[in-house]
């Protein structure tokens, strides 16, 4: 059983007047480095809240980009069924369902429409997986679109680690018979004030764009399954297990290891990190993110040092990683199919600034 203080830290969004605070969950492996077993324990507790209720239904679980992609995949694998995630990336030669996440700095979300239309007749219920639900409006946006396209054919549920919906929002969901599951109920009334009490006095670093070639080892592993497309959750776990087997052959187990995922690509990094942890290494895992968050020196604030990077997916896009430290070994795992080196150069140079010398890059490709 989790409590609000176990999961919730409040941070300040940068230049976002729609919502000035950001809820940082210190166990989900996004912004804050986490022990992978702690993340998976939390994910499994959320999955347990779903297992008994939907045993006779054919399920599609949808994880929300960026922060809930690992949660969504882990819950889908535990519960069973189809899985896909929302995305902000461009996928060639597909149609999309577009909807908005209005409080985010990057508001556009989309689902691959082609995949939904190809399997909708085999789905009884869609369960949306989030790290937190505050108003429920974003999920209602996509539910409204789906009900218009596929009237009368679907039931809906949401499952989140945190739920901050007020009574009016909860009633809207009850009236539409949308089931709600969560681990911790939160009250957001004080979050803006908490965020504003912190000073913007943390460390801001901008690693250089110089080539990092020679500073890291690189390997390519085939068998990539793209969770932005609809996949069978069991097949996804098997693919991640094969990814780990390939990495294990080349990996020297060290006393301390950091595993880094990239943006929307979180679950495979956490999965591999958990396998390394089982080997006896002291492992932490987190990922790069599009989210620009202010950092603060105060001990109670969740993030203290920010590195501004170029994206591994698009060199024109800023991304960030927080609170890097020194480890015996760093393993970066990405599904970026781009040959562009600028993103990896900035990430490796950032890791070197934090004192890391042994850095390995794994590219998961088709």
């Amino acid at each position: 059983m989790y409590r609000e203080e176990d999961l919730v830290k409040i941070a300040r969004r940068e230049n976002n007047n729609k919502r000035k605070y950001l809820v940082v969950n210190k166990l989900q492996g996004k912004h804050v480095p986490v022990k992978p077993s702690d993340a998976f324990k939390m994910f499994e507790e959320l999955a347990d809240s779903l297992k008994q209720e939907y045993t006779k239904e054919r399920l599609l679980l949808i994880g929300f980009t960026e922060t809930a992609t690992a949660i969504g995949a882990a819950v889908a694998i535990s519960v069973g069924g189809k899985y896909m995630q929302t995305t902000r990336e461009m996928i060639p030669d597909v149609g999309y369902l577009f909807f908005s996440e209005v409080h985010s700095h990057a508001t556009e979300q989309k689902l691959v429409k082609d995949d939904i239309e190809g399997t909708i007749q085999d789905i009884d219920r869609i369960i949306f997986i989030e790290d937190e639900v505050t108003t429920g409006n974003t999920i209602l946006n996509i539910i409204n679109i789906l009900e218009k396209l596929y009237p009368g054919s679907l039931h809906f549920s949401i499952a989140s680690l945190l739920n901050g919906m007020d009574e009016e929002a909860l009633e809207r969901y009850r009236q539409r018979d949308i089931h709600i599951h969560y681990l911790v109920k939160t009250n957001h009334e004080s979050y803006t004030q908490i965020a504003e009490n912190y000073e913007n006095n943390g460390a801001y670093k901008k690693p250089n764009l110089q080539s990092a070639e020679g500073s890291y080892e690189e390997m390519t592993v085939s068998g990539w399954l793209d969770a932005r497309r609809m996949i069978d959750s069991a097949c996804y776990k098997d693919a991640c297990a094969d990814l780990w087997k390939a990495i294990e052959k080349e990996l020297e187990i060290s006393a301390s290891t950091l595993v880094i995922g990239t943006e929307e690509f979180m679950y495979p990094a956490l999965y591999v990190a958990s396998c390394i942890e089982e080997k006896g290494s002291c492992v932490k895992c987190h990922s790069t993110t599009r989210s620009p968050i202010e950092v603060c020196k105060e001990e109670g604030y969740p993030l203290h040092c920010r590195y501004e990077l170029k994206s591994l997916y698009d060199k024109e896009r800023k991304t960030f990683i927080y609170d890097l430290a020194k480890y015996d070994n760093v393993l970066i795992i990405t599904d970026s199919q781009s040959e562009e080196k600028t993103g990896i150069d900035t990430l490796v140079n950032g890791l070197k600034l934090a004192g890391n010398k042994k850095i390995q890059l794994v590219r998961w490709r088709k």
Side-chain angles (χ1 to χ4, degrees):
M1 181 69 71
Y2 291 92
R3 302 165 299 169
E4 185 172 1
E5 54 265 36
D6 296 326
L7 305 182
V8 173
K9 290 285 187 179
I10 304 303
R12 290 169 53 135
R13 295 175 185 267
E14 182 178 80
N15 298 326
N16 189 327
N17 292 323
K18 297 172 184 175
R19 187 179 294 169
K20 294 184 178 180
Y21 66 85
L22 179 76
V23 176
V24 176
N25 185 325
K26 56 190 178 182
L27 295 184
Q28 76 183 53
K30 185 57 178 176
H31 306 107
V32 178
V34 69
K35 185 178 174 182
S37 56
D38 289 343
F40 278 109
K41 179 182 177 183
M42 179 180 61
F43 300 163
E44 187 60 29
E45 186 159 325
L46 183 62
D48 287 344
S49 71
L50 304 174
K51 286 179 179 176
Q52 298 305 314
E53 188 163 344
Y54 305 118
T55 55
K56 296 181 180 179
E57 296 186 50
R58 299 169 298 175
L59 303 176
L60 165 62
L61 295 94
I62 297 177
F64 274 77
T65 284
E66 286 180 348
T67 50
T69 56
I71 305 164
V75 171
I77 288 167
S78 182
V79 173
K82 300 290 186 182
Y83 176 68
M84 67 189 305
Q85 66 182 58
T86 69
T87 184
R88 295 189 179 102
E89 300 293 345
M90 293 302 299
I91 301 171
D93 305 318
V94 299
Y96 298 107
L97 300 179
F98 293 92
F99 59 103
S100 295
E101 189 176 18
V102 294
H103 62 271
S104 176
H105 71 281
T107 59
E108 184 183 270
Q109 289 261 23
K110 53 187 185 287
L111 280 168
V112 176
K113 182 180 180 181
D114 304 27
D115 293 351
I116 292 175
E117 289 191 340
T119 57
I120 199 69
Q121 69 278 2
D122 299 321
I123 300 298
D124 299 314
R125 180 178 299 271
I126 295 177
I127 304 177
F128 296 97
I129 311 293
E130 268 281 30
D131 55 332
E132 62 160 333
V133 178
T134 306
T135 65
N137 290 335
T138 300
I139 293 175
L140 279 182
N141 286 342
I142 187 61
I143 287 176
N144 290 338
I145 292 169
L146 290 167
E147 286 189 332
K148 184 176 180 180
L149 288 172
Y150 315 109
S153 61
L154 291 171
H155 301 285
F156 299 96
S157 299
I158 62 172
S160 60
L161 303 175
L162 308 172
N163 186 293
M165 297 166 71
D166 61 21
E167 188 55 39
E168 182 180 344
L170 292 169
E171 182 58 28
R172 282 199 300 271
Y173 272 68
R174 281 193 286 264
Q175 289 177 359
R176 296 179 63 167
D177 195 29
I178 302 169
H179 297 191
I180 299 173
H181 305 265
Y182 55 85
L183 295 185
V184 174
K185 193 77 178 72
T186 56
N187 185 336
H188 289 233
E189 289 181 1
S190 64
Y191 287 179
T192 298
Q193 186 59 52
I194 292 172
E196 290 179 340
N197 285 340
Y198 288 111
E199 292 186 52
N200 181 20
N201 61 5
Y204 290 83
K205 300 186 179 184
K206 193 172 183 179
N208 64 57
L209 299 176
Q210 294 176 354
S211 172
E213 192 170 352
S215 299
Y216 65 95
E217 300 173 8
E218 182 171 343
M219 66 179 291
T220 299
V221 178
S222 61
W224 172 56
L225 282 187
D226 187 1
R228 301 170 187 89
R229 307 295 304 266
M230 192 176 299
I231 52 178
D232 181 84
S233 58
C235 292
Y236 193 47
K237 184 177 182 180
D238 289 344
C240 291
D242 289 341
L243 171 65
W244 160 241
K245 289 175 185 175
I247 292 171
E248 185 181 16
K249 293 176 183 177
E250 306 295 330
L251 184 69
E252 180 181 331
I253 302 298
S254 305
S256 65
T257 305
L258 174 65
V259 181
I260 297 176
T262 53
E263 298 180 48
E264 298 178 2
F265 183 73
M266 291 178 60
Y267 178 83
L270 265 170
Y271 179 88
V272 168
S274 71
C275 295
I276 298 172
E277 184 181 8
E278 289 176 0
K279 293 283 188 179
S281 181
C282 179
V283 183
K284 293 292 180 71
C285 183
H286 60 146
S287 77
T288 61
T289 175
R290 292 194 189 197
S291 297
I293 308 167
E294 293 184 2
V295 290
C296 175
K297 293 178 181 177
E298 289 189 37
E299 186 176 343
Y301 192 81
L303 304 169
H304 307 98
C305 181
R306 185 175 95 178
Y307 295 77
E308 181 183 314
L309 313 172
K310 298 292 186 180
S311 172
L312 273 70
Y313 300 85
D314 177 0
K315 69 177 182 177
E316 302 304 321
R317 182 164 77 224
K318 286 183 184 180
T319 58
F320 307 89
I321 195 164
Y322 297 87
D323 290 350
L324 292 175
K326 184 179 179 181
Y327 299 82
D328 294 325
N329 188 37
V330 179
L331 186 65
I332 304 162
I333 306 177
T334 186
D335 70 342
S336 170
Q337 306 296 297
S338 172
E339 298 294 336
E340 170 60 46
K341 298 286 188 179
T342 306
I344 188 61
D345 288 340
T346 57
L347 179 52
V348 169
N349 289 333
L351 286 162
K352 289 165 64 180
L353 282 176
N356 294 285
K357 296 180 180 179
K358 185 173 178 56
I359 303 168
Q360 296 170 283
L361 170 68
V362 177
R363 294 188 181 273
W364 199 19
R365 291 185 165 164
K366 291 180 181 178

